[in-house]
Amino acid sequence: MHLGNLRSALYTYLYAKHNGGRFILRIEDTDRERYVEGATDVIYRTLRSIGMQWDEGPDIGGDYGPYVQSERKAMYLPYAEQLVREGKAYYCFCTKEELEERRAAAAARGETFKYDKHCLHMSREEVERRLAAGEPYVIRQNVPETGEASFDDVIYGHIAVDCAELDDMILIKADGMPTYNFANVIDDHTMGITHVMRGNEYLASTPKYNLLYDAFGWEKPAYIHMTPIMRDAQHKLSKRDGDAYFEDYLNKGYLKEAIVNYVALLGWNPGDEREFFTLGELIDAFSIEGMSKSPAIFDVNKLTWMNAEYIRRLTPDAFTAHAMPYYAQAGVAGMDTEILCRILQPRTEIFTQIPDMVDFLAALPAYETDLFTNKKSKTNPEVAKAVLELVIPKLEALPDWTEAALHETLLGLAAEQGMKNGTLLWPVRIALAGRQVTPGGAMEIAALLGREESLRRLNEGLKKL
């Protein structure tokens, strides 16, 4: 699910629940050329995983089903034919080739192509003859050539468009399926939808929707158009550019709660300084008044910061459950999870960072002896050699290989030798890890590696020196 779709669903859900309404899930699949197998399952899986349970929908039913537009196909044509009989729509037999020619001619004149109502003036007898002959056709809306079409949006206020600028949009396609625009008008009315929340790319189409409502004499729903989510000041968050899907971020190691919290704040402000919300808290706080008219910039760094904060707040058991697949990937799943949690949870921003942070535990990387040099710890290869010669026998004699025993032994040895702790621990950590930066210090690493592997690495380090 695209993050823009997720936000639309989220705001709809929050608004409905905040006001004691019903959240309806409808699958809009009339564009069969763009149909993707399994997409409906992704919608179900995504909304359920977040906790956004719908009150009516394809899988649970309701009083206004079916809730899949392709399963409602038979109901749309009669409404379109009613408009034809009333002169508010008409059959169009123009072929794709004819339309392309007219479109090219308009472009050559420097004009924007608009359908010229060519088939509107066809006689009734001619229409019936061509229908009887089985010629392909579409049904077009007969938009008035004068006057204005208007609507009131909760966010943008009153919007009016000159009818002369509007195209006669297709209502029923040649395959018998309704267009997205027509199906939504019919479904919103017949399902009793009171509020429609969607992206502001539909602002230009809504006047034509309202002409249809007027044509049928139906009450219009309240419209709430949302500003787009932008990748930067010039570009929308695009599916083509990648990184636009909810599951992409889950796969990158972000927590679903953090994603939802962040997406909720893309175009809505709670009116105070709060940044962290559970879904229940979002329901309580959400209001239309907090929605913005300005586009929202998707800042992955802000999302990462928020995700890190969510990770810090996990219980050790919850952190370990999320981290375990990444432990397995890094080859450390069998190591002490209490220690791993303690050293990794404060440092993890997204879970996919974990393998790179701990891969040295599974296999000692190749390293050069210059890593033993550290000015702050006052160590160099010569000092490191002396330290390891002291440490290895002490650790070989250690009866219990526990973090507490390692801590006591190593710090006790430093005190006994009159060394700073860092002077003794730096060479030990380099020999154990083969890198200068590690989560956790020498004692945690040795406890995770165990006696045999730790001593093997320490002896290898001594041989290098």
Side-chain angles (χ1 to χ4, degrees):
M1 182 180 278
H2 185 272
L3 290 177
N5 300 136
L6 174 61
R7 188 188 63 171
S8 297
L10 177 62
Y11 283 9
T12 304
Y13 174 83
L14 297 177
Y15 185 70
K17 295 305 175 183
H18 181 84
N19 292 285
R22 295 176 69 77
F23 174 54
I24 315 303
L25 177 60
R26 185 172 73 214
I27 303 301
E28 298 171 343
D29 62 342
T30 59
D31 188 346
R32 305 309 289 177
E33 290 182 2
R34 296 177 61 192
Y35 180 78
V36 177
E37 193 69 41
T40 301
D41 293 331
V42 171
I43 294 170
Y44 291 159
R45 183 170 67 244
T46 301
L47 297 184
R48 280 203 183 100
S49 73
I50 293 167
M52 291 167 53
Q53 183 57 49
W54 44 99
D55 299 298
E56 301 172 31
D59 56 333
I60 61 173
D63 295 336
Y64 301 95
Y67 291 87
V68 179
Q69 284 183 335
S70 59
E71 296 175 10
R72 299 166 66 85
K73 178 181 176 181
M75 71 178 290
Y76 301 112
L77 182 59
Y79 283 106
E81 290 174 334
Q82 174 188 334
L83 294 179
V84 171
R85 290 192 298 271
E86 296 171 356
K88 297 165 183 173
Y90 57 94
Y91 294 99
C92 174
F93 298 92
C94 294
T95 64
K96 285 184 179 180
E97 291 75 20
E98 290 169 338
L99 293 172
E100 285 301 323
E101 284 180 15
R102 288 181 227 168
R103 186 173 282 107
R109 296 191 299 269
E111 299 173 358
T112 300
F113 175 73
K114 182 181 132 181
Y115 186 70
D116 57 8
K117 294 183 182 285
H118 175 80
C119 292
L120 173 64
H121 309 294
M122 198 177 296
S123 69
R124 182 175 177 180
E125 291 75 20
E126 176 70 3
V127 169
E128 290 179 352
R129 181 189 67 78
R130 297 179 79 162
L131 289 174
E135 286 191 36
Y137 69 88
V138 299
I139 296 180
R140 288 183 181 271
Q141 180 181 13
N142 184 14
V143 175
E145 296 183 79
T146 59
E148 72 173 27
S150 65
F151 72 99
D152 293 301
D153 183 81
V154 174
I155 303 295
Y156 291 92
H158 187 72
I159 295 177
V161 178
D162 188 339
C163 287
E165 298 177 6
L166 299 177
D167 198 7
D168 285 0
M169 70 176 179
I170 294 172
L171 307 180
I172 301 293
K173 296 181 285 189
D175 63 0
M177 292 293 285
T179 58
Y180 170 86
N181 295 321
F182 187 56
N184 279 5
V185 169
I186 303 303
D187 289 344
D188 286 347
H189 172 73
T190 56
M191 288 183 173
I193 301 300
T194 57
H195 292 73
V196 175
M197 301 179 77
R198 60 188 175 213
N200 68 358
E201 63 267 28
Y202 293 103
L203 279 171
S205 301
T206 304
K208 290 187 278 191
Y209 298 167
N210 274 11
L211 287 174
L212 290 172
Y213 278 102
D214 290 338
F216 286 116
W218 293 342
E219 183 180 353
K220 304 174 183 71
Y223 294 111
I224 305 165
H225 287 86
M226 293 170 282
T227 57
I229 301 176
M230 307 292 287
R231 179 162 50 91
D232 53 43
Q234 287 79 38
H235 303 93
K236 283 186 180 181
L237 194 66
S238 169
K239 298 175 185 177
R240 289 196 191 98
D241 296 327
D243 286 355
Y245 294 96
F246 175 73
E247 290 190 343
D248 285 347
Y249 283 93
L250 290 182
N251 293 334
K252 287 181 178 182
Y254 290 84
L255 291 167
K256 63 186 178 185
E257 296 84 359
I259 301 170
V260 171
N261 191 154
Y262 182 66
V263 167
L265 298 173
L266 291 174
W268 170 76
N269 189 305
D272 53 36
E273 298 303 312
R274 284 183 295 169
E275 291 187 287
F276 295 91
F277 295 86
T278 64
L279 190 61
E281 289 167 344
L282 284 171
I283 291 171
D284 292 340
F286 190 80
S287 70
I288 296 298
E289 291 73 26
M291 291 177 66
S292 174
K293 291 184 181 180
S294 303
I297 303 294
F298 183 89
D299 183 348
V300 70
N301 293 323
K302 181 66 181 290
L303 171 61
T304 301
W305 168 82
M306 181 168 278
N307 195 70
E309 291 297 313
Y310 267 87
I311 288 175
R312 307 282 180 274
R313 300 175 187 197
L314 292 174
T315 65
D317 285 346
F319 176 85
T320 299
H322 283 290
M324 192 57 75
Y326 303 98
Y327 292 167
Q329 182 182 332
V332 301
M335 294 185 180
D336 189 318
T337 56
E338 187 276 325
I339 298 176
L340 286 171
C341 176
R342 178 156 33 89
I343 66 175
L344 292 173
Q345 189 170 6
R347 296 169 172 84
T348 302
E349 294 182 312
I350 55 176
F351 284 98
T352 47
Q353 294 171 333
I354 287 176
D356 285 342
M357 286 198 283
V358 298
D359 58 0
F360 70 92
L361 292 169
L364 181 67
Y367 66 95
E368 300 298 326
T369 56
D370 59 357
L371 289 189
F372 287 106
T373 299
N374 183 286
K375 290 182 180 179
K376 185 178 178 182
S377 298
K378 297 182 178 178
T379 62
N380 55 39
E382 185 180 348
V383 172
K385 184 174 186 294
V387 165
L388 293 182
E389 286 175 341
L390 282 169
V391 164
I392 290 171
K394 285 282 188 182
L395 295 184
E396 286 175 337
L398 196 63
D400 297 313
W401 196 273
T402 64
E403 187 181 352
L406 289 162
H407 188 275
E408 182 181 349
T409 300
L410 292 174
L411 296 192
L413 184 58
E416 179 186 307
Q417 296 295 319
M419 287 184 187
K420 289 186 176 181
N421 290 343
T423 305
L424 182 133
L425 295 176
W426 181 266
V428 174
R429 186 158 65 90
I430 294 299
L432 290 172
R435 58 166 67 167
Q436 291 182 320
V437 179
T438 59
M443 281 78 83
E444 290 96 344
I445 294 170
L448 287 166
L449 291 172
R451 179 192 298 272
E452 183 179 344
E453 178 63 13
S454 295
L455 291 172
R456 185 188 72 79
R457 293 186 181 196
L458 291 170
N459 279 296
E460 271 193 28
L462 182 58
K463 287 177 186 175
K464 283 178 176 285
L465 298 165

